[in-house]
Amino acid sequence: MRILRLTTTLVTLASLFILVAAAGACKGTQVGRQCILPSLGDAGISQTVVGSPALECQSRTCLHVAGASPDLCTAECDSADDCEASSETPCKMGFECAVPVVVGPFCCRKFCICKDFNPSLADPAACVAANPSNECCNLPGRRENPTMYPACK
């Protein structure tokens, strides 16, 4: 009888753990908390930078938009619906999903960007995968074609 109660308790606890883990997995990564990119130095940096790791961010990714302040936690996205704003965000107009940079390891990846900083970001021409002169390794067909794109090995 005692073993049966112990088994029942363990099964109940395991089920509860799985339920809590599944519920947490359904929630998106919140964006918009303030973060710091210490390597930038002055806030007047003239270029947009995606930095990682940013330990204060759930996604571990911080975004500095050129000429804007403060730097905010961001996350990769497919649409604006993926951009769940943190209750701590200073962003008033909400977030959009757009490409902030066209160079470096985050080139042509879409991230949640505060509309207060730049309310209308079109996809950059440098991220059109059909144009073979666009060499961003994150574009389709670049890593699979080292002859044409040797930097994407």
Side-chain angles (χ1 to χ4, degrees), residues 50 76 99-111 123-146 148-153:
V50 178
E76 287 195 62
V99 174
V101 294
V102 295
V103 296
F106 298 105
C107 67
C108 298
R109 289 186 180 176
K110 289 188 173 190
F111 288 90
D123 285 342
C127 297
V128 175
N131 183 346
S133 66
N134 291 342
E135 296 185 4
C136 173
C137 294
N138 295 324
L139 294 173
R142 299 317 190 257
R143 294 190 196 280
E144 301 82 22
N145 190 349
M148 191 163 178
Y149 303 102
C152 299
K153 292 181 184 177

Side-chain angles (χ1 to χ4, degrees), residues 40-90:
L40 294 181
D42 295 333
I45 191 92
S46 63
Q47 56 187 325
T48 297
V49 177
V50 178
S52 182
L55 300 181
E56 62 273 39
C57 302
Q58 281 184 327
S59 67
R60 302 294 185 244
T61 311
C62 183
L63 176 66
H64 168 79
V65 175
S69 182
D71 299 341
L72 297 177
C73 293
T74 188
E76 287 195 62
C77 55
D78 291 318
S79 73
D81 294 337
D82 297 334
C83 302
E84 181 183 340
S86 165
S87 61
E88 302 171 36
T89 187

